[in-house]
Amino acid sequence: CFLLLAESWECIAPPAAMLERLNLAFAKMVTGDVYRRLAQVGLRYEDLYIETADVKLALSRLPKEALVAREQRFKRAMDLSMKHKFLPDDIVKLHLEQSVSRSYLAPHVEAIKQAKQEKFLAPGSIGNPYDWSP
């Protein structure tokens, strides 16, 4: 029971809109914290993608410069982690403003998923590869 009215002893559930606003506020707070922690070691959010078959294919489609930059970010993050240090605050702030949430891999992954879906939903195919329902 979220709220109990003393005069009538009724249990009132919070409105769905209020819960949704609280959920969005919490999600925004957590996302900001994740981005800040990634910026402290110089990583982007998409650097943490699990390398599934789709992600590996998307990585193979990236330009060489993007792959080199990704590897450099990993090396810097590992170096900072081993030294138990973070990037200076001015660089973290610049990194937050410019690149932490900027997407470089997601469009390629989405294009691959879309192409797979179109291929498997074509006439004579076996079905949707992302649908696990029986």
Side-chain angles (χ1 to χ4, degrees):
C1 186
F2 186 76
L3 179 64
L4 188 64
L5 295 178
E7 60 270 358
S8 62
W9 296 100
E10 291 181 48
C11 184
I12 299 175
M18 185 174 91
L19 287 177
E20 188 174 329
R21 283 195 307 267
L22 284 171
N23 191 20
L24 288 175
F26 182 71
K28 206 174 195 181
M29 181 180 66
V30 169
T31 302
D33 187 53
V34 168
Y35 284 165
R36 183 183 53 78
R37 288 174 185 257
L38 287 173
Q40 287 176 337
V41 292
L43 289 174
R44 290 186 182 177
Y45 181 75
E46 291 178 348
D47 290 337
L48 303 180
Y49 279 7
I50 296 172
E51 290 193 17
T52 61
D54 292 345
V55 173
K56 286 180 183 179
L57 184 58
L59 286 170
S60 71
R61 293 182 180 183
L62 286 177
K64 183 149 179 76
E65 299 83 28
L67 287 174
V68 169
R70 183 174 192 258
E71 288 299 319
Q72 290 297 321
R73 287 191 301 271
F74 281 135
K75 287 178 183 178
R76 178 177 49 198
M78 285 188 282
D79 183 53
L80 289 168
S81 176
M82 289 175 59
K83 293 177 181 176
H84 300 282
K85 294 188 177 189
F86 295 118
L87 291 172
D89 288 338
D90 55 338
I91 295 176
V92 170
K93 185 182 280 188
L94 183 68
H95 195 66
L96 278 170
E97 292 170 357
Q98 292 182 353
S99 68
V100 171
S101 62
R102 196 174 77 210
S103 181
Y104 73 97
L105 189 59
H108 296 285
V109 173
E110 289 302 317
I112 290 166
K113 285 184 179 182
Q114 185 68 29
K116 277 187 177 180
Q117 232 172 6
E118 289 171 4
K119 177 183 173 186
F120 284 103
L121 293 178
S125 68
I126 61 170
N128 186 350
Y130 299 105
D131 184 13
W132 292 88
S133 61

